[in-house]
Amino acid sequence: MDADDTDLIEIIYTAGLVPELWPKVIEKLAQRVGAYGGSLFSLSEGQLAWEAPASTRPIMEAYVEGGWDRNNPRLEGLLNAKPLGFMRDQDVIVGNYDELPIVRDFLRPHNIYGTAATVIPGVRGDIAVLSVDRGREPGPYTSVEIERLDGFRPHLARAIALTSRMRMREATTAAAALQMVGVPAAVVRRQHGVVATNALFDALVGPVFLATGHGHLALSDRAADALLQQTLRRQERMNPTVRSIPVTGQEGAIGVLHVIPACRQALDILGPDANLLVFAQPHEGAPVNPDWLRWLYDLSPTEALVAAHLTAGLTLEEIAQQRNTSRDTTRTQLKAILRKTGFSRQTDLVRSLGGLNTLSPQLLKPGGAS
C-alpha cells in the first residue's frame, strides 16, 4: 500500500461522517484504475439516493431522469451474483451484452465502455452499489485492477454503513421538525427524494400528491407538477429561491405548494441540498408577516407591506390611500412583487401568500432557533 492509497482510505472514512465527500472518494478511486468517474447508489426503505463526482454527475442525472434505474439488467445481474468484491458488468450478464438497450442507447452514447461495481448490503435490508466507469480507450478492466479495487472494499463498506446511519439520524431529526410546522410538509433532497414527511402531508398522498417510486413524488395537477420538477432540478444552494406553485383540482384551486430551500441553520436539521415543501390552503383576509415575505421573496420593506395588505383583502386604491401614495406608485410596486415571486396575476399572488399565515416561520427563519 502506497501513500496515495493511505490518503484515499483516510478520505473514505471521513466521507462516512461527511457524506458530501463521497464524490471525491469516487473520483479518486476511479483514478486508481484509469477510470474517469463513477457513482454510489443506495436504496433504503424504497428511497433511492446517489452521489457522483462532477465528471459523471450529468450522466447520473440523465440515468435517473430517463428511468434507466428501473430498467437495468446489469444491476439485476450484479444483485443476483452477490459478489464479495468488484465485478465487471459484462461478467454478470447472460447473453449479448452489447445489444442490451441500456448499453446501446445510454452507456455507449455517454462514453461508458467499462464498469466495475460492487454491492454492499446494509443491516436493515438497504443496499449500496458503488461503481467506477471508464471510456473506450483504456479497454476492459484487468484482473489486477479488479484486485486493487477489492483492496478498498472493506473500507468502503464500513464507511457506507456509517453514512447510512448518519442519514437515518438526519431523516429522524427532519421528521421531528416537520411535526412543529402544523401544516402539510415534507423534506425533499435533490438526489435522495423524499426523506421526511409529517402526518398532514401523508394524508394528501392520493388526492394531491402521487408517489412515483424510489421515494420520489409528483403532483396530481400535471401543470403544477411540471413546475415542481423544474424547480427541484434548478434549485441551487448558493442562490436559493422560494417558488410558490398554485395547485388546482377538478373543482378549481385547492392550495399552493411552497418550495423553500433550506439555508443557514436549517441545513443542520434538513440536510444539504434540502427543500422544504409546504402545502398551504388559503385563508382569505388573514394578515401575513411582512418580515417573512421580505426573506422568502427578497422583497423591499415597502413591497412586503404592499403584499401583506393585498393578502389582507385590501385593494390597490385602499393600499395607496392608507400609505398616502398614488395608485400608480402602488401598481408599480405590485409589478415588482409579481416579478420577484414569479406570478403573473394578482389573484394567484394573493392566493399563494394567503396560505402563509398558517405557517410558523421559525423552522427556516434566518437567525431563528433552527
Side-chain angles (χ1 to χ4, degrees), residues 6 12 22 25 32 49 55 65 105 132 144 156 159 164 181 188 196 232-233 257 309 323 335-336 369:
T6 301
I12 288 173
W22 277 112
V25 170
R32 293 294 191 279
S55 57
E65 291 178 7
D105 301 332
V132 288
V144 173
L156 293 166
S164 177
V181 178
V188 177
L232 293 177
R233 286 195 298 268
L257 180 67
H309 286 320
R323 302 193 64 253
K335 290 180 179 179

Side-chain angles (χ1 to χ4, degrees), residues 332-351:
T332 299
Q333 292 162 345
L334 172 60
K335 290 180 179 179
I337 295 169
L338 291 173
R339 184 180 69 254
K340 292 182 179 180
T341 56
F343 292 103
S344 58
R345 299 190 306 171
Q346 180 179 333
T347 53
D348 289 337
L349 170 73
V350 173
R351 181 183 299 117

Side-chain angles (χ1 to χ4, degrees), residues 41-62:
F41 278 82
S42 60
L43 184 64
S44 177
E45 297 182 352
Q47 294 187 347
L48 179 70
W50 60 271
E51 305 285 353
S55 57
T56 47
R57 180 180 295 271
I59 299 175
M60 294 304 105
E61 290 176 345

